[in-house]
Amino acid sequence: MSVADIHIGEEVHHDEHHEQSFIQKYIFSTDHKMIAKQYLISGIFWALIGGGLSIIFRLQLGFPDMSLEWLRPILGKWITSAGKLDSEFYLALVTMHGTIMVFFVLTAGLSGTFSNFLIPLQIGARDMASGFMNMLSYWLFFISSTIMFVSLFLETGPAGGGWTVYPPLSALPQAISGSGLGMTLWLVAMVFFIASTLLGGINYITTVINLRTEGMSFSRLPLTVWAFFITAVIGLLSFPVLVAAALLLVFDRSFGTSFYLSEIYIGGEALPNMGGSPILYQHLFWFLGHPEVYIVLLPALGITSEIIATNSRKPIFGYTAMIMSMLAIAFLSFIVWAHHMFVTGMNPFLGSIFMFLTLIIAVPSAVKAFNYITTLWKGNIHFTPAMLFSIGLVSFFISGGLTGIFLGNSALDINLHDTYFVVAHFHLVMGSASFFGMLAGVYHWFPKMFGRMMDEKLGYIHFWFSFVGIYLVFFPLHYVGIAGFPRRYYSWTNFDAFNSFTDLNAFVSIAAILTFSAQFVFLFNFFYSIFKGRKAPQNPWGSTTLEWTTPRIPGHGNWEGDIPKVYRWAYDYSKPGAKDDFIPQTVPYSHTPESNLPFENELAKTEDVSPVAQDAK
Amino acid sequence: MTRSSADIHLGKVRVKSMHPKKFAMWLFIISVTMIFASLTSAYIVKKSEGNWALIDFPSLFNVTSVMIVLSSISIHFAYLAAKRNNLFNIRLGLTLTAVLAVAFSVGQFFSWGQLVEQEVFFVGNPAGSFIYVFTGLHVVHLVGGLIFLLVVLVNSFRYKVHSKSLAQIEMCVTYWHFLGGLWLYLYLFLILNN
Ligand code: HEM
Ligand SMILES: [Cu+2]
């Protein structure tokens, strides 16, 4: 089929000699590597804001008597005349912390960075299927970020109804100040965000399916690419549902419809809305919301698979099982959403069905955890910072996943729902695990992104403070939660039952501040190494995958000559008989008779080792 | 030689299965489908909770349904003409489709009038609001399709739509049939769930 004449920019050349202006190169770039860096920097920016917000509310929780007068220069009137944090602003802080972390850092920052960076490099493509769409995706994210950021400075404060923005609270501007303009901007920002995510996702899927180089069959794809691919598919199916949920919410807020509202009295006065149902919103939201937690986690798991295999110098244990469990998780993630709604008055029979489905997810999750451990087992482990963060991820994934099994029981959940137990659960399994995945990815692929190495010692310091710190923060929260302390409460000092937790809460806050501070070690390391780091060798970790066959700093188009051809899977580490402890994917079987298995020797006979044909001009 | 129409030159990568842009179009269709699937599910969930007003659907829906089916036929006519390089018929078919699309949208608008006549407003019982949302959101997507259609039409005047250059019109036709099918689904859904 000849399609060449359909608006292809006749930009036949992608070479380095082609001069690009500053704007083309760094701002409106269509190069996937630059876009990935843009996402990374934006994600780091948001992580700092999101983390900073959490420190502010941890101060309130840990030291309720402390005077926060010194925050007035930043927070202005949100510090009351008594020197305390405004209680409605507290809600806004929690809301924005959740929104920023889940969507802006761990969805856009994580998928945006690593899907963009790694998909073309690891499948042997010169760029994404559509560089323009990719650029558009970033800039929509940028607009969304700007709107969300502006909402932080509103007179009435940013959105305050929790990151899940449940109606009726979020639907009635008169309910709290955080349901006013801040909520409107939240919704607008999310619309741009979803558009950006969908554009990005469509691009990732198209690229993986259509642009793999010769020989790169699905069964030879690195697990990173598998993970990004499945993540994008989940996003494609679930984010539109959030569009629907948000659309109806907008109509309820701004046009007076009653999708989610019914028989509400505010200030003693009845509202006209009749016939709606707030539970409807929860169904729609969690149909996205639960898949979303896996959108956040799967890329981190993919990154971990890659790093653990490379640094254990062993093939990943159970390659197919890893893919199967990701597919199973993806499928199951769409049919468990109601475990977030056990206490909404749901029919108990329906509750047990969702309980059953929820507990099944533990199976593929456990398969993945076991496979990581068995890959590490008896490996020749290289403890690079990236490796430490990956092992940390596995630890968080297990300890956080275990509490999921408690929460998944519809009976136990009556006690645990909306307590700090849930907060502890998802911060370990989702928040910290994905965050570690992202950091591991940065440490591991930094040499490819910037051509330089990050400092290892600083990396170790960063790791140990973060790893220990996170457990110190979230482990105690389980106890607070089991004791029944509800999440999103401004203050607990009025409840006798919780007074015994005063010290524990202070301890958690101190640990949180320490953990947050440790991130500045990373920041310094990151920015310092971009300019002053040791120059990276071409393949610093001895990896098999294609990105390490590019020049030290790949130009637009990634490979200078032909694109590489792939002859084997991505995990030929420490293959018996081989000269080195890794064989890159570009090495044909016919060149490695000493290490081939019998069936590989058969393959070697029919192998076509001519290069991928020249780019035709 | 075969070239995928990505934004940069890709070299001889075996383009598997499908043209990337067409493939992306299908993915877009999937995401639109999900929006409407979730809205119609919301309709069922809400309805099962009771407090549901009964509504007579505007009779105009029958007329607009015929129009959208006709527009699918006319765009297919244009597509077949493009395959045979019959420029006049391409333009005729596309123009006809555009006219029918506008007529459809206007018809949907008047059907809202019929709803208002029986005192079903956008603001009120969700049973009515849902109908406005379904029709409104569908027309929004149709307007998007119409813009795409006009782009193809302009290109046909620039001699850019012919048997050697079909990808764009093919994508347009796919999306158009999808829009038609979507409307029929929505209408059928409403009828079956009333
Ligand atoms: C073994 C597998 C898991 C099970 C059985 C499970 C179960 C649950 C249940 C039942 C809840 C609702 C608790 C409540 O609100 O009362 C919950 C909350 C949550 N889970 Fe999990 N979970 C599992 C794994 C995960 C993973 C892997 C992630 C993320 C990557 C995750 C993220 C979350 C989040 C974000 C929430 C709280 C949302 C909120 O209310 O704000 N969970 N989990
Ligand atoms: Cu869930």
PDB file of all heavy atoms in Angstrom, chain A residues 290 293 336 339-340, ligand 2:
ATOM      1  N   HIS A 290      -9.510   1.790  40.186  1.00  0.00           N
ATOM      2  CA  HIS A 290      -8.718   0.611  40.463  1.00  0.00           C
ATOM      3  C   HIS A 290      -7.728   0.295  39.344  1.00  0.00           C
ATOM      4  O   HIS A 290      -6.550   0.110  39.629  1.00  0.00           O
ATOM      5  CB  HIS A 290      -9.537  -0.613  40.846  1.00  0.00           C
ATOM      6  CG  HIS A 290      -8.613  -1.692  41.280  1.00  0.00           C
ATOM      7  ND1 HIS A 290      -8.109  -1.772  42.543  1.00  0.00           N
ATOM      8  CD2 HIS A 290      -7.987  -2.650  40.576  1.00  0.00           C
ATOM      9  CE1 HIS A 290      -7.219  -2.742  42.603  1.00  0.00           C
ATOM     10  NE2 HIS A 290      -7.136  -3.300  41.411  1.00  0.00           N
ATOM     11  N   VAL A 293      -4.601   2.312  39.710  1.00  0.00           N
ATOM     12  CA  VAL A 293      -3.515   1.948  40.624  1.00  0.00           C
ATOM     13  C   VAL A 293      -2.538   0.994  39.935  1.00  0.00           C
ATOM     14  O   VAL A 293      -1.350   1.003  40.229  1.00  0.00           O
ATOM     15  CB  VAL A 293      -4.020   1.354  41.959  1.00  0.00           C
ATOM     16  CG1 VAL A 293      -5.005   2.285  42.635  1.00  0.00           C
ATOM     17  CG2 VAL A 293      -4.595  -0.021  41.795  1.00  0.00           C
ATOM     18  N   VAL A 336     -12.776  -5.536  39.825  1.00  0.00           N
ATOM     19  CA  VAL A 336     -12.701  -5.559  41.284  1.00  0.00           C
ATOM     20  C   VAL A 336     -13.036  -4.210  41.903  1.00  0.00           C
ATOM     21  O   VAL A 336     -12.894  -4.039  43.103  1.00  0.00           O
ATOM     22  CB  VAL A 336     -11.279  -5.954  41.749  1.00  0.00           C
ATOM     23  CG1 VAL A 336     -10.935  -7.348  41.295  1.00  0.00           C
ATOM     24  CG2 VAL A 336     -10.265  -4.960  41.285  1.00  0.00           C
ATOM     25  N   HIS A 339     -14.462  -3.210  45.480  1.00  0.00           N
ATOM     26  CA  HIS A 339     -13.869  -3.387  46.810  1.00  0.00           C
ATOM     27  C   HIS A 339     -13.576  -2.051  47.481  1.00  0.00           C
ATOM     28  O   HIS A 339     -13.246  -2.014  48.653  1.00  0.00           O
ATOM     29  CB  HIS A 339     -12.637  -4.304  46.780  1.00  0.00           C
ATOM     30  CG  HIS A 339     -11.466  -3.782  46.008  1.00  0.00           C
ATOM     31  ND1 HIS A 339     -10.647  -4.609  45.287  1.00  0.00           N
ATOM     32  CD2 HIS A 339     -10.958  -2.535  45.842  1.00  0.00           C
ATOM     33  CE1 HIS A 339      -9.695  -3.889  44.720  1.00  0.00           C
ATOM     34  NE2 HIS A 339      -9.860  -2.639  45.047  1.00  0.00           N
ATOM     35  N   HIS A 340     -13.685  -0.984  46.740  1.00  0.00           N
ATOM     36  CA  HIS A 340     -13.572   0.337  47.370  1.00  0.00           C
ATOM     37  C   HIS A 340     -14.910   0.801  47.919  1.00  0.00           C
ATOM     38  O   HIS A 340     -15.004   1.875  48.491  1.00  0.00           O
ATOM     39  CB  HIS A 340     -13.060   1.356  46.353  1.00  0.00           C
ATOM     40  CG  HIS A 340     -11.677   1.059  45.865  1.00  0.00           C
ATOM     41  ND1 HIS A 340     -10.559   1.499  46.511  1.00  0.00           N
ATOM     42  CD2 HIS A 340     -11.239   0.321  44.820  1.00  0.00           C
ATOM     43  CE1 HIS A 340      -9.477   1.055  45.881  1.00  0.00           C
ATOM     44  NE2 HIS A 340      -9.875   0.333  44.844  1.00  0.00           N
TER      45      HIS A 340
HETATM   46 CU    CU C   2      -8.741  -1.188  44.189  1.00  0.00          CU
END
